[in-house]
Amino acid sequence: MTMQQRTEPSPAAVLIAVAVLALVLTVAFGPLGFVIGLALFGLMFVGTKNKTADQITPVRTRSRLRRLSTAGRVAIVGESHHQDAIAEIAALATHELKADTGNGTAVPATAVLVPEPATRHDLTAVRVDLLRGDGTAVTAGYLRGEQAVDYRPLLLDLAGRGEIGSCPARIVGSDQRYGVHLHLGAPRLLLLDHEALGTAPTLPAEQQVAVVGEQVHQHVLHRVVNGRTPAHVIAELRDCRIVRGSHIGEHTLEVLLEGESVGQLTYAMGLRYCDMAQEWRARTGRALCEAVITNEGTRGLQANLLLPK
C-alpha cells in the first residue's frame, strides 16, 4: 500500500522564520525594515489561522480500493480532534441521499481503513479516513483499540498486495458535534471472496434472508465457491416471476452470481424487497447485495443474502 502524505511546515515554524526575517530586516534597514517585518508577520499569522478546506486534506490514496463486508456497524473514536475535516466531507455529501437515523440525519460517505506504522506507544492503530471525490482523504478518527487488534492483520495483508480496505460510512450529528460510524463486517468475514461485480455499492447488510431453489443450481454455486466455504460473495437481484407453487406468476427477485441464477426469494420476501431493489437499482445502476454461501452437508450449498431489515 502506498499512501502519500503531503508535508507542510508547521504554523510555529513559519512564524519563527518570519520573526527571524523581521529581525534581519530591522537590523539592515532600520524602522522601515521593522515595519516590513511586522507586515510579513501579520500576513503569515492570518494565513496560519485561516486554513482553507484544501489544506485540511492530508493524504491521497494510490492503492486499489478493496471493498470490505458491510455486515456490521462499528463506531469510531477520536472524531473530536477532526471536526473540521468531517464537516468538510459532510458538506460535500449533502447533495447525496441522506439516511434517516434515530438521532437525526446521517450523511453517507466512503471510509478507508489505514493500519498505521507501529510505535512504542501504539502497536495496533488503525486510522479511519474519509474520501473526497478526487481521491484525497481526510482523517476522521480511529478504530477502538480492541477492534484495531482484530482488524489490523487483515488490513496489513491487503497493504502487502497494494490494496486498502474501503467501506461505507455515515456522518451523524451537526456542525456542533459530528460523529462517524462504519458499515463494516466482522473480521472473520471481512474480505469478500468474489468481486467480479466491481465497486458499485451494495444494499445495507443487516439481516440474513434465505434463498430458495438452490438445489437445481448447485453447479453454479460450486464454481463460485471453488471449494471454500463459508464464502462471502456479492450477488445481484433481478426481477422475475415465480414459476411453480401456490404463487405461480407472482413477482419476486431472482438471485444471480457471476450472471447466472442460483435461486430466488420466496413470495413473501419478494413483496418485501422488490420495491427496495428497484429503487436501489435506479440510484446505483445495479441491485447488489452481500451473500454468504455455506455447505449444509446433504442439503448441498445454500445461499443466504444480507439485506436491510
Side-chain angles (χ1 to χ4, degrees):
M1 180 183 68
T2 57
M3 298 289 290
Q4 184 179 38
Q5 179 131 4
R6 184 171 65 187
T7 58
E8 296 180 357
S10 68
V14 172
L15 294 178
I16 291 172
V18 174
V20 171
L21 177 60
L23 180 61
V24 172
L25 289 173
T26 301
V27 172
F29 301 104
L32 178 60
F34 180 74
V35 171
I36 295 173
L38 280 181
L40 288 173
F41 186 88
L43 288 172
M44 294 305 297
F45 181 79
V46 170
T48 57
K49 294 294 287 184
N50 296 289
K51 276 191 167 292
T52 64
D54 182 67
Q55 289 172 304
I56 295 173
T57 306
V59 294
R60 176 182 294 274
T61 177
R62 292 179 177 177
S63 305
R64 187 177 82 86
L65 294 182
R66 172 71 176 268
R67 182 212 305 258
L68 302 177
S69 169
T70 66
R73 301 295 177 269
V74 174
I76 72 172
V77 297
E79 302 104 306
S80 61
H81 302 294
H82 306 283
Q83 290 292 295
D84 289 346
I86 299 171
E88 179 198 348
I89 299 299
L92 291 172
T94 50
H95 67 283
E96 298 181 15
L97 179 67
K98 294 183 179 181
D100 185 31
T101 67
N103 299 318
T105 300
V107 179
T110 299
V112 292
L113 304 181
V114 184
E116 291 193 332
T119 69
R120 63 189 181 92
H121 300 293
D122 195 341
L123 300 177
T124 61
V126 174
R127 193 176 77 240
V128 178
D129 292 347
L130 300 179
L131 289 181
R132 286 169 153 181
D134 63 358
T136 56
V138 295
T139 296
Y142 287 81
L143 294 186
R144 295 181 185 276
E146 65 277 10
Q147 292 173 327
V149 171
D150 293 333
Y151 285 100
R152 184 178 170 86
L154 293 168
L155 297 172
L156 287 173
D157 286 345
L158 291 181
R161 301 198 294 268
E163 298 177 317
I164 184 169
S166 172
C167 68
R170 293 293 182 270
I171 301 172
V172 296
S174 66
D175 54 5
Q176 302 299 315
R177 176 70 170 86
Y178 286 108
V180 176
H181 67 259
L182 309 178
H183 289 223
L184 184 66
R188 67 184 181 88
L189 285 177
L190 187 64
L191 303 183
L192 299 169
D193 298 300
H194 174 60
E195 296 186 285
L197 293 175
T199 58
T202 53
L203 284 155
E206 298 173 342
Q207 68 175 359
Q208 290 199 12
V209 175
V211 177
V212 297
E214 305 108 309
Q215 63 273 14
V216 297
H217 303 288
Q218 289 291 299
H219 64 290
V220 178
L221 290 167
H222 277 285
R223 187 180 71 241
V224 170
V225 303
N226 194 27
R228 300 189 309 264
T229 56
H232 197 177
V233 300
I234 299 172
E236 184 167 10
L237 302 178
R238 184 171 65 187
D239 294 333
C240 71
R241 291 184 181 273
I242 298 173
V243 296
R244 61 177 63 85
S246 58
H247 296 288
I248 188 170
E250 299 286 354
H251 285 280
T252 190
L253 290 170
E254 185 178 26
V255 181
L256 307 175
L257 290 177
E258 297 185 344
E260 294 191 59
S261 177
V262 295
Q264 57 185 217
L265 300 189
T266 65
Y267 171 69
M269 289 295 102
L271 284 178
R272 181 171 183 175
Y273 288 109
C274 273
D275 289 344
M276 188 182 302
Q278 184 176 1
E279 292 173 4
W280 192 266
R281 190 182 301 111
R283 197 168 85 233
T284 68
R286 306 180 81 168
L288 304 180
C289 68
E290 296 179 38
V292 177
I293 302 173
T294 56
N295 190 334
E296 301 299 325
T298 57
R299 294 175 55 204
L301 297 178
Q302 304 288 310
N304 284 286
L305 306 184
L306 302 178
L307 295 174
K309 290 182 178 179

